[in-house]
């Protein structure tokens, strides 16, 4: 079954404690993306990757890092999380015409 | 990409057709109209897209006016599971970069 998985689904952490949210797809897509969703602000793109070792900033990249060492995985890294990064995060695996979204990761930074 | 305007909310009776409008008066000739939906806090789901011809798939129909300034997404027999936020998005080129607005909250009533 074609799918995008994210882990963890829920995370409560404290300011400054590094964390990684994993994203994996089994559709062999080259293009992947990370979004955050906040009330009243909609979905905003954080980073995207066009292929292995090729990444670029989206609209709200500050405070985030990504890596793309292999095609199926696209982890999102928060080196020093802050409360303003409390949000719902979505990973997407993308074809020319469609984006396949993961189930979301709800992150709370205290 | 064209700016789109959607009503913030709509209701529809279960079993009836849900007609969701979208205005995109500034759309250019090569811009597609894409529709996604997001069921409460789940990842957005692709529904359908079109350029100028009407389109139909197993989920919905998309009717685009001849001048392309507006379109309507039709869910022919709405069910309670169709309750979601529906996003209309104007896209030039590929759908790899999507800008989600605030969408229309569709509530299907029993």
């Amino acid at each position: 079954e074609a799918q995008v998985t994210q882990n963890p689904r829920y995370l409560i952490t404290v300011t400054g404690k590094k964390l990684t949210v994993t994203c994996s797809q089994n559709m062999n897509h080259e293009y992947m993306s990370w979004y955050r969703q906040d009330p009243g602000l909609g979905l905003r793109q954080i980073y995207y990757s066009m292929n292995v070792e090729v990444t670029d900033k989206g609209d709200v990249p500050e405070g985030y890092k990504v890596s793309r060492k292999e095609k199926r995985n696209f982890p999102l890294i928060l080196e020093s999380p802050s409360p303003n990064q409390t949000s719902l995060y979505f990973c997407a695996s993308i074809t020319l015409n469609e984006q396949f979204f993961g189930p979301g990761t709800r992150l709370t930074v205290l | 990409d064209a700016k789109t305007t959607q009503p913030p909310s709509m209701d529809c009776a279960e079993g009836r057709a849900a007609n969701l409008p979208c205005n995109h008066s500034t759309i250019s000739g090569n811009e597609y109209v894409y529709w996604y939906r997001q069921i409460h806090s789940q990842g957005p789901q692709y529904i359908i897209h079109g350029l100028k011809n009407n389109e139909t798939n197993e989920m919905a129909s998309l009717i685009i006016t001849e001048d392309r300034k507006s379109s309507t997404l039709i869910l022919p027999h709405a069910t309670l599971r169709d309750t979601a936020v529906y996003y209309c998005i104007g896209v030039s080129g590929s759908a790899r970069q999507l800008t989600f607005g605030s969408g229309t909250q569709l509530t299907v009533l029993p």
Side-chain angles (χ1 to χ4, degrees), chain A residues 3-5 23-29 32 52 68-75 91 93:
Chain A
Q3 61 179 351
V4 179
T5 57
C23 173
S24 184
Q25 52 99 358
N26 63 359
M27 295 169 278
N28 202 37
H29 292 159
M32 298 182 72
V52 174
R68 189 90 182 276
K69 292 182 168 40
E70 50 190 337
K71 188 181 277 190
R72 65 182 291 121
N73 296 324
F74 189 42
C91 176
S93 182

Side-chain angles (χ1 to χ4, degrees), chain B residues 64-77:
Chain B
I64 302 174
T65 58
E66 195 165 338
D67 63 8
R68 303 213 322 122
K69 293 185 185 302
S70 66
S71 59
T72 301
L73 178 75
I74 301 172
L75 308 179
H77 305 286

Side-chain angles (χ1 to χ4, degrees), chain A residues 30-31 35 37 41-43 45 48 88 90 94-99 101-104 106, chain B residues 34 36 38 40-46 49 87 93-102:
Chain A
E30 293 179 346
Y31 211 100
Y35 295 86
Q37 186 172 31
L41 295 176
L43 280 126
Q45 190 180 50
Y48 62 95
L88 179 58
F90 291 103
I94 303 166
T95 67
L96 193 63
N97 288 322
E98 187 172 348
Q99 298 204 15
F101 285 83
R106 189 169 292 279
Chain B
Y34 276 73
Y36 277 74
Q38 185 175 22
H40 181 63
S41 294
Q42 296 181 21
Q45 176 190 23
Y46 166 82
H49 74 282
Y87 299 98
S94 81
R96 288 172 170 163
Q97 299 285 344
L98 295 178
T99 300
F100 288 81
S102 52

Side-chain angles (χ1 to χ4, degrees), chain B residues 31-85:
Chain B
E31 283 188 272
Y32 286 78
V33 179
Y34 276 73
W35 284 83
Y36 277 74
R37 73 179 183 184
Q38 185 175 22
I39 297 169
H40 181 63
S41 294
Q42 296 181 21
Q45 176 190 23
Y46 166 82
I47 302 173
I48 199 167
H49 74 282
L51 183 62
K52 50 184 173 183
N53 296 323
N54 298 337
E55 302 288 345
T56 295
N57 63 19
E58 64 278 4
M59 289 183 68
S61 294
L62 174 60
I63 309 297
I64 302 174
T65 58
E66 195 165 338
D67 63 8
R68 303 213 322 122
K69 293 185 185 302
S70 66
S71 59
T72 301
L73 178 75
I74 301 172
L75 308 179
H77 305 286
T79 71
L80 299 179
R81 287 177 295 180
D82 291 322
T83 292
V85 178

Side-chain angles (χ1 to χ4, degrees), chain A residues 56-103:
Chain A
D56 206 349
K57 297 176 180 178
D59 298 320
V60 288
E62 294 77 21
Y64 304 95
K65 286 175 57 178
V66 292
S67 71
R68 189 90 182 276
K69 292 182 168 40
E70 50 190 337
K71 188 181 277 190
R72 65 182 291 121
N73 296 324
F74 189 42
L76 179 70
I77 302 154
L78 286 72
E79 295 269 4
S80 182
S82 62
N84 64 10
Q85 292 178 298
T86 292
S87 188
L88 179 58
Y89 291 87
F90 291 103
C91 176
S93 182
I94 303 166
T95 67
L96 193 63
N97 288 322
E98 187 172 348
Q99 298 204 15
F100 298 83
F101 285 83

